Amino acid sequence: MLNYIWAVMIILGIVFGAITGNMKEVTEAALQSAGEGVSLCIATAGIMALWVGLMEVAESSGLIQKLTHMLSPFISFMFPGIPKGHKARDYISTNIIANILGLGWACTPAGLKAMEELSKLEKERGNSHIASNEMCTFLILNISSLQLIPVNMIAYRQQYGSVNPAGIIAPAVVATCISTLVAIIYCKIKDRGIKYR
């Protein structure tokens, strides 16, 4: 659906440019935007490589394991239906840690693995065709944008010449705390009355 929306917007822009006699400007804007897109990709790739590399170092040094252990009470609170020692807990913890650091690229594989393990858990319960409460909770936590360091936004601001690219951190922390708190409250309200085995 999104592809159709973009296609319609592009066609409307070209048609409007042709009608108003501004095709030269449309062409120049398209070429300039393409160049900016490539530059932004290169800048973002560098930042991504740095943070993903740091995540690998943190994992190899055992830091991720320690942070996962520290997150265990929160995981138990948010996902009481997941048995202790289940693989899904580790993947969820890794996903949350990567999200907190603003590493959307690094958290995606852990998120997919967590969903896979949650799906296996739901099959064991005999409900293979529906999304479990844990799956929905995990998805809502991810949607709430749980992050303290908005790496992407800092990269975009730096690319477009911001005087203080990291100036977004304080407002981002406030916004993510509020959105995550709302997500937690919502999940716990919906969680009431559900009995776990």
Side-chain angles (χ1 to χ4, degrees):
M1 183 63 180
L2 196 57
N3 289 338
Y4 294 119
I5 293 171
W6 279 109
V8 168
M9 288 173 61
I10 290 168
I11 291 167
L12 285 175
I14 292 170
V15 169
F16 184 78
I19 291 171
T20 58
N22 294 319
M23 278 308 288
K24 181 184 174 189
E25 286 80 1
V26 170
T27 306
E28 287 175 0
L31 293 173
Q32 183 180 353
S33 297
E36 286 178 4
V38 171
S39 299
L40 183 60
C41 285
I42 292 169
T44 306
I47 292 170
M48 179 180 75
L50 170 68
W51 282 99
V52 171
L54 287 174
M55 276 293 283
E56 287 294 323
V57 170
E59 192 171 350
S60 299
S61 67
L63 182 62
I64 296 293
Q65 191 175 0
K66 287 177 184 173
L67 290 172
T68 299
H69 182 68
M70 287 171 59
L71 274 177
S72 186
F74 177 74
I75 300 297
S76 296
F77 172 71
M78 289 305 298
F79 304 94
I82 302 177
K84 297 242 179 188
H86 197 277
K87 285 182 183 177
R89 292 172 66 98
D90 293 336
Y91 289 127
I92 290 170
S93 296
T94 304
N95 175 272
I96 289 173
I97 291 164
N99 264 322
I100 287 171
L101 296 174
L103 307 175
W105 323 279
C107 72
T108 301
L112 293 174
K113 283 286 190 185
M115 281 296 192
E116 189 179 311
E117 291 299 326
L118 290 173
S119 178
K120 287 178 187 174
L121 182 62
E122 201 58 18
K123 280 180 186 172
E124 290 170 14
R125 294 174 180 163
N127 303 321
S128 59
H129 299 296
I130 59 169
S132 67
N133 189 56
E134 293 87 1
M135 288 177 174
C136 294
T137 300
F138 181 58
L139 185 63
I140 290 167
L141 275 179
N142 272 276
I143 291 169
S144 74
S145 186
L146 177 66
Q147 62 176 274
L148 297 180
I149 305 168
V151 176
N152 284 344
M153 195 55 64
I154 291 169
Y156 298 148
R157 286 167 58 88
Q158 184 177 13
Q159 178 67 26
Y160 289 107
S162 172
V163 177
N164 183 12
I168 193 79
I169 291 177
V173 168
V174 172
T176 195
C177 287
I178 292 170
S179 64
T180 303
L181 182 63
V182 169
I184 291 169
I185 292 168
Y186 175 80
C187 289
K188 294 321 284 181
I189 288 171
K190 289 294 184 182
D191 207 24
R192 285 183 308 171
I194 295 175
K195 298 194 186 296
Y196 296 100
R197 300 186 261 184

